[in-house]
Amino acid sequence: MERKDFIRKGLMGTGMFVASASVGNVIKNDIDELKELDVIGFNHLPNTESKVKANTVLHKADTRGHANHGWLDSHHSFSFANYYNPDRMHFGVLRVLNDDRVDGGKGFGRHPHDNMEIISIPLEGDLEHKDSMDNVAVIKHGDIQAMSAGTGIFHSEYNKNEDQDAKFLQIWLFPKTKNVTPRYDQLTLNVEDRHNNLQQVLSPNPDDAGVWINQDAWFHMGKFDKDFSIEYKLKNPANGVYAFVLKGDITIEDHELNQRDGLGIWDTNSISIKANTQDAEVLLMEVPMSV
C-alpha cells in the first residue's frame, strides 16, 4: 500500500482522545483518554506484586485494568482513562497497551491526537479509519497501522461490520521527537511469514520491514508450533522488550506466560522464547527505556 504523508497543525490533545461533533465543540470523555501525567521517570521497575527478577516486570492478564462501556470492552495493561495504577504508568516509552473489543457498527468518533505514536493491530474483524486529510482505509487481521500524530491529527475508527465484533490492540508510544509533521502508514503483512519466526512489523526505518514510526522501536510478531524455540536479539541493548501473549502458552526466559499476559525485560541483549501450546502467538515490543 502506498505510504501517505499528511499535515494538521494547531490541534489540541497531548495524545488524548476527545469526542467532538465539531472542532469548536470539544468534549473530554472517560472512555479513551490519558489523564494529566508528570513524567518523572519511566517506571519499568518491578512492583512488589510482579517482581520476579531485578530486570523483569510481570503483568498477568487478570491484573489489567478493565472498562466495559457496552459497545467497547477494553483491558488496559497500563494506566488509562479511569484505570489508574501508579505502578503501571508505562514501560519505557510504551505508554498504552489496550486490548479492545468493539461491537458491530460502533467505534471511536472523530477526535484529535498530538505528539504520540499510535499503533493499531487488528486481531479479528475490520476497522474503518478516516482522518483529517480525507484518507479512508480499512484495517483487518494481518494489517498494521501506525500514526505519528506530531503537531496534530483528527481521525475516527469504527467497526465496519454490523454483524460481528472487531478486536484490536491499541498501542501508544511516546515519540522520539515532538512536533514532527504528522504521518500515516498502513501495510498488509503476510501472516505466514511469522510461522515459527519473528516477523518484523514495525521499525524506525522507512526502508525496513513493516510500518515505521517516530521512535527507536521495533515490533515483531510470531506464531509457533508446540515446543518450538527461538531467540530474540535486541537491536539496541539499552532498550527493553515488552512481550504480550496473544494466544496460547509461552515461556520467556523461564517465565511461564498465558494468553494476554505481559512480561517486560530490560538490561539484556537477548531473550529466549518457547511455545508450550500449538499455534501460540506473541507480540514483542522493543522500546527505549528512557527519553
Side-chain angles (χ1 to χ4, degrees):
M1 176 174 291
E2 181 180 355
R3 302 178 187 271
K4 300 176 182 178
D5 293 338
F6 59 92
I7 304 173
R8 180 76 182 191
K9 296 184 179 179
L11 303 181
M12 53 195 302
T14 317
M16 68 171 58
F17 174 103
V18 181
S20 170
S22 67
V23 175
N25 182 24
V26 178
I27 306 169
K28 290 185 181 180
N29 70 81
D30 62 357
I31 292 179
D32 192 6
E33 68 177 34
L34 294 184
K35 303 298 186 184
E36 294 290 335
L37 176 66
D38 292 326
V39 181
I40 299 174
F42 289 86
N43 66 335
H44 53 275
L45 298 180
N47 56 57
T48 55
E49 294 182 354
S50 64
K51 186 173 182 179
V52 287
K53 282 187 178 180
N55 68 327
T56 308
V57 63
L58 174 64
H59 297 150
K60 296 296 290 182
D62 60 2
T63 67
R64 296 177 295 170
H66 181 220
N68 191 333
H69 302 277
W71 65 271
L72 170 67
D73 189 25
S74 183
H75 289 82
H76 313 312
S77 293
F78 302 98
S79 293
F80 192 83
N82 288 331
Y83 168 61
Y84 175 74
N85 182 338
D87 292 320
R88 293 205 191 176
M89 298 306 297
H90 38 77
F91 177 83
V93 302
L94 174 58
R95 176 60 186 88
V96 170
L97 173 54
N98 288 349
D99 184 5
D100 291 346
R101 177 198 57 76
V102 179
D103 280 353
K106 305 296 184 180
F108 303 91
R110 189 173 185 266
H111 59 277
H113 294 280
D114 65 24
N115 287 317
M116 194 68 72
E117 301 299 298
I118 302 170
I119 300 99
S120 296
I121 303 178
L123 303 176
E124 296 180 21
D126 305 319
L127 288 169
E128 184 173 63
H129 163 93
K130 296 181 180 180
D131 63 46
S132 50
M133 292 298 291
D134 297 324
N135 295 309
V136 178
V138 175
I139 57 174
K140 57 187 181 299
H141 177 61
D143 294 347
I144 184 167
Q145 177 196 80
M147 294 188 296
S148 294
T151 52
I153 59 170
F154 274 95
H155 82 127
S156 64
E157 223 152 27
Y158 283 89
N159 184 344
K160 185 175 178 59
N161 303 307
E162 296 282 347
D163 59 347
Q164 66 182 84
D165 292 345
K167 298 179 181 179
F168 74 109
L169 300 180
Q170 180 184 170
I171 303 167
W172 298 6
L173 306 182
F174 291 115
K176 180 179 181 180
T177 305
K178 288 188 175 182
N179 298 320
V180 300
T181 298
R183 180 170 44 80
Y184 178 87
D185 200 6
Q186 177 184 336
L187 287 177
T188 296
L189 304 166
N190 184 358
V191 297
E192 294 301 320
D193 290 345
R194 66 189 65 160
H195 177 234
N196 289 338
N197 183 46
L198 289 171
Q199 179 190 35
Q200 182 172 294
V201 300
L202 177 149
S203 84
N205 306 311
D207 298 323
D208 208 350
V211 295
W212 60 294
I213 62 169
N214 172 34
Q215 184 52 269
D216 293 328
W218 288 263
F219 286 12
H220 291 75
M221 299 180 74
K223 182 176 182 178
F224 312 123
D225 295 333
K226 188 177 185 296
D227 297 326
F228 180 81
S229 296
I230 194 169
E231 181 183 49
Y232 176 75
K233 294 183 179 180
L234 276 71
K235 306 292 186 180
N236 184 341
N239 288 346
V241 177
Y242 193 90
F244 188 67
V245 180
L246 299 173
K247 180 182 177 182
D249 302 329
I250 291 177
T251 297
I252 298 180
E253 291 293 297
D254 298 325
H255 309 303
E256 294 187 5
L257 305 175
N258 309 116
Q259 184 165 302
R260 297 312 204 255
D261 287 351
L263 178 73
I265 304 176
W266 62 98
D267 290 339
T268 185
N269 293 318
S270 64
I271 61 172
S272 61
I273 303 167
K274 180 183 177 182
N276 300 322
T277 55
Q278 183 64 29
D279 295 329
E281 298 183 42
V282 67
L283 167 65
L284 300 182
M285 294 167 280
E286 179 181 338
V287 297
M289 298 309 291
S290 62
V291 173

